[in-house]
Amino acid sequence: MSTDARTTSRSALVVLDLQLGTTVGPKAHAIDEIVPRVRELADLFRSRGLPVVWATVDGTPAGRTSHGAGGRMFPDGFAQLVDGLGAQDGDRHLVRRSWSALAAPDVDHELREVGITEVVIVGIATSFGVESTARQAYDLGYDVVIVEDAVTDNTIEAHEHSMTRVLPALARIIRASDLG
């Protein structure tokens, strides 16, 4: 599925945090525009025999930050996927307490075991989970793709900072239509 015909990448779609606890409140881009686009991408990946990974977060890591002590759990239901995504039984669903989806146990190993060399990242929040997953994927040697019209953040400023200053150094930035 590589967006560059010169490579032979085998891709996985990694969907970050499109869940009840993270999609409330104002966003840089409307969730009701992101969800159907992500569903179409998940269907496309499955139709090509490529894995779909749904990553949700239900708490924080143990480390202390300026916001306080870590290691807290979010309320019940926080990590439930929002309606309309079309997750299926054959998809990988992981619940984590880390910024990066690849920090969850065994995910990197599972992806490599099925020959994945490229991760296509979508979801929320551009400046948190999306950026953290892109950083780790890049450091682990994956080709990284960010689908710009399938990611959003809590503010347009945070989203634009990641999309224009950070992510281009780690990934190729494309539109969903580029994958079809």
Side-chain angles (χ1 to χ4, degrees), residues 14-110:
V14 178
V15 184
L16 287 155
D17 303 337
L18 287 175
Q19 60 190 64
L20 295 180
T22 60
T23 56
V24 295
K27 302 291 176 246
H29 305 289
I31 293 299
D32 62 355
E33 293 174 11
I34 301 292
V35 167
R37 192 165 294 124
V38 169
R39 182 185 183 132
E40 289 173 9
L41 290 171
D43 290 343
L44 176 66
F45 271 69
R46 278 189 225 98
S47 75
R48 295 181 177 175
L50 298 171
V52 176
V53 178
W54 303 94
T56 58
V57 62
D58 74 348
T60 62
R64 290 187 294 171
T65 70
S66 294
H67 293 287
R72 69 184 174 104
M73 295 294 299
F74 297 147
D76 286 343
F78 187 93
Q80 181 181 332
L81 291 173
V82 296
D83 289 337
L85 289 168
Q88 296 184 4
D89 289 339
D91 298 341
R92 171 75 154 91
H93 188 152
L94 64 95
V95 180
R96 69 192 198 289
R97 292 181 191 100
S98 59
W99 289 109
S100 168
L102 295 179
D106 301 323
V107 174
D108 176 47
H109 175 74
E110 289 175 22

Side-chain angles (χ1 to χ4, degrees), residues 72-152:
R72 69 184 174 104
M73 295 294 299
F74 297 147
D76 286 343
F78 187 93
Q80 181 181 332
L81 291 173
V82 296
D83 289 337
L85 289 168
Q88 296 184 4
D89 289 339
D91 298 341
R92 171 75 154 91
H93 188 152
L94 64 95
V95 180
R96 69 192 198 289
R97 292 181 191 100
S98 59
W99 289 109
S100 168
L102 295 179
D106 301 323
V107 174
D108 176 47
H109 175 74
E110 289 175 22
L111 293 175
R112 291 186 192 282
E113 199 166 69
V114 295
I116 299 303
T117 58
E118 176 179 81
V119 292
V120 177
I121 302 171
V122 298
I124 189 172
T126 316
S127 63
F128 291 100
V130 170
E131 186 176 310
S132 295
T133 301
R135 287 175 185 272
Q136 187 167 10
Y138 183 81
D139 284 347
L140 289 170
Y142 290 97
D143 291 330
V144 181
V145 175
I146 306 294
V147 183
E148 69 180 329
D149 54 344
V151 294
T152 193

